[in-house]
């Protein structure tokens, strides 16, 4: 028989031995999920004994995490800004830097009461749903090439009560939706160069969909698409890799965008490039 304190200690040790980068927090979240308690409640009842079913559930979750499956996939959900999104192996786990992308989008949309927004490569729907939930007038078209990602994004939109302001469309980053015009095009396209994949953490390298990670030159493709779809004065906002911001800003200038601006994420890394389409 194991109590919560003992289970927490043993879980943390298993995760440490597996090389998991944040074993303490992960142990708290996995134990909390197994027994149905919040992280803080775990510490309020340290001597509560786990039932056999809870112990089995915990073992199954920890085994998955110890194989370096991303925590978000093991938990089945992940926080993104104010939303709790369902997340699984069909989609990229939404990242903190992408929350900063949404900040820039909302700043650019602030003066527009009913903006039309296009999210290219929506995955779980993180960016599209955050914009729709934080800008009450925004209408968002969310595009992805993958059926699985779109199905999950639809579930997330329904759970957030946002299906009336989100259109989910199967399509390609490089192909324009005929007739539609937008005030903002946002994208976090795949931008890990093929040769860099091997150097990434196992959680990313071995588990997240390659179609969501690996890409070269897709910022240009998104820029070309946006140039055909933006209204005059509209904006493009792109998430970029660590060393890519100056190059992507130059590409946007070359495509005819103006007012290029590079912003940092909360860690101070230049990860967001934006510009305006004036004509
Ligand atoms: C880096 S993930 C971003 C997911 C989500 N927007 C986020 O920020 O968490 C890129 C997404 O683009 C999609 N994608 C990759 N290539 C694509 C293409 N050629 N056309 C449309 N979507 C594509 C992938 O399926 C994936 O969902």
């Amino acid at each position: 028989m194991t109590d919560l304190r003992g289970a927490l200690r043993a879980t943390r040790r298993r995760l440490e031995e597996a090389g998991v980068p944040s074993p303490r927090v992960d142990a708290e979240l996995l134990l909390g999920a197994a027994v149905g308690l919040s992280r803080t409640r775990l510490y309020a009842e340290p001597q509560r004994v786990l039932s056999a079913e809870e112990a089995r559930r915990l073992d199954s979750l920890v085994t998955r995490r110890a194989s370096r499956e991303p925590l978000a996939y093991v938990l089945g959900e992940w926080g993104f800004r104010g939303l709790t999104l369902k997340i699984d192996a069909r989609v990229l786990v939404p990242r903190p830097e992408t929350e900063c992308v949404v900040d820039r989008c909302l700043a650019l949309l602030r003066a527009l009461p009913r903006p039309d927004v296009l999210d290219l490569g929506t995955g779980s729907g993180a960016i599209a749903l955050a914009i729709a939930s934080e800008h009450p007038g925004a209408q968002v078209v969310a595009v992805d090439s993958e059926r699985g990602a779109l199905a999950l994004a639809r579930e997330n939109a329904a759970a957030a009560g946002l299906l009336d302001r989100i259109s989910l469309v199967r399509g390609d980053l490089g192909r324009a939706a005929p007739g539609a015009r937008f005030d903002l095009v946002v994208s976090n396209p795949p931008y890990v160069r093929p040769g860099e994949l091997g150097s990434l953490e196992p959680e990313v390298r071995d588990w997240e969909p390659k179609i969501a990670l690996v890409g070269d030159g897709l910022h240009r493709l998104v820029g070309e698409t946006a140039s055909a779809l933006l209204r005059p004065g509209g904006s493009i906002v792109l998430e970029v890799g660590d060393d890519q911001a100056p190059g992507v800003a130059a590409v946007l200038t070359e495509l005819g965008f103006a007012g290029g601006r590079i912003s940092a994420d909360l860690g101070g890394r230049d990860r967001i490039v934006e510009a305006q389409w004036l004509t």
Side-chain angles (χ1 to χ4, degrees):
M1 292 222 294
T2 316
D3 63 14
L4 289 175
R5 182 188 289 139
L8 195 55
R9 203 177 303 128
T11 299
R12 182 176 173 171
R13 202 174 320 116
R14 270 182 78 184
L15 297 180
E16 271 166 4
E17 283 164 7
V20 169
S22 49
R24 180 182 167 168
V25 175
D26 287 26
E28 290 170 347
L29 290 167
L30 293 173
L31 179 57
V35 302
L37 289 176
S38 69
R39 281 169 72 193
T40 43
R41 288 298 302 167
L42 294 176
Y43 291 100
E45 305 177 41
Q47 278 149 6
R48 152 130 131 60
V49 172
L50 274 72
S51 69
E53 177 53 32
E54 287 170 342
R56 257 195 307 277
R57 211 177 302 141
L58 178 63
D59 182 60
S60 151
L61 297 175
V62 178
T63 300
R64 288 174 64 187
R65 185 67 188 106
S67 73
R68 305 296 297 269
E69 183 173 350
L71 182 63
Y73 293 173
V74 178
L75 295 172
E77 62 179 32
W78 204 239
F80 186 78
R81 297 182 68 97
L83 301 167
T84 300
L85 301 172
K86 193 168 168 190
I87 296 295
D88 63 30
R90 289 174 286 180
V91 296
L92 190 92
V93 178
R95 309 291 208 266
E97 51 269 30
T98 310
E99 298 191 323
C100 299
V101 169
V102 173
D103 273 334
R104 287 309 309 150
C105 293
L106 292 170
L108 290 161
L109 295 175
R110 201 175 296 134
L112 302 177
R114 290 184 57 79
D116 291 302
V117 176
L118 176 63
D119 174 19
L120 289 173
T122 198
S124 61
I127 296 174
L129 293 170
I131 291 174
S133 75
E134 295 182 55
H135 190 311
Q139 290 283 341
V140 186
V141 177
V143 173
D144 207 285
S145 56
E146 304 309 295
R147 285 184 205 280
L150 284 172
L152 190 58
R154 183 172 301 282
E155 278 188 56
N156 282 325
L162 291 168
L163 272 177
D164 56 334
R165 288 194 292 117
I166 303 260
S167 305
L168 293 153
V169 177
R170 186 150 179 256
D172 192 89
L173 300 172
R175 234 160 277 138
R181 284 286 176 277
F182 296 92
D183 300 295
L184 176 85
V185 174
V186 56
S187 184
N188 173 16
Y191 54 68
V192 176
R193 295 181 192 99
E196 292 170 353
L197 190 63
S199 64
L200 300 179
E201 288 290 324
E203 282 83 350
V204 182
R205 185 191 64 214
D206 300 338
W207 291 91
E208 293 194 284
K210 301 286 175 288
I211 184 94
L213 292 171
V214 182
D216 210 0
L218 295 180
H219 292 106
R220 176 182 288 275
L221 190 60
V222 171
E224 286 167 357
T225 303
S227 69
L229 296 178
L230 281 169
R231 295 188 174 120
S235 303
I236 183 169
V237 179
L238 299 173
E239 180 171 321
V240 300
D242 263 347
D243 57 349
Q244 297 174 351
V248 171
V251 164
L252 292 183
T253 305
E254 200 186 300
L255 292 174
F257 287 86
R261 168 181 166 156
I262 294 173
S263 313
D265 64 12
L266 294 175
R269 298 166 307 163
D270 287 339
R271 299 298 300 274
I272 305 152
V273 179
E274 68 190 63
Q276 273 67 51
W277 188 252
L278 297 182
T279 55

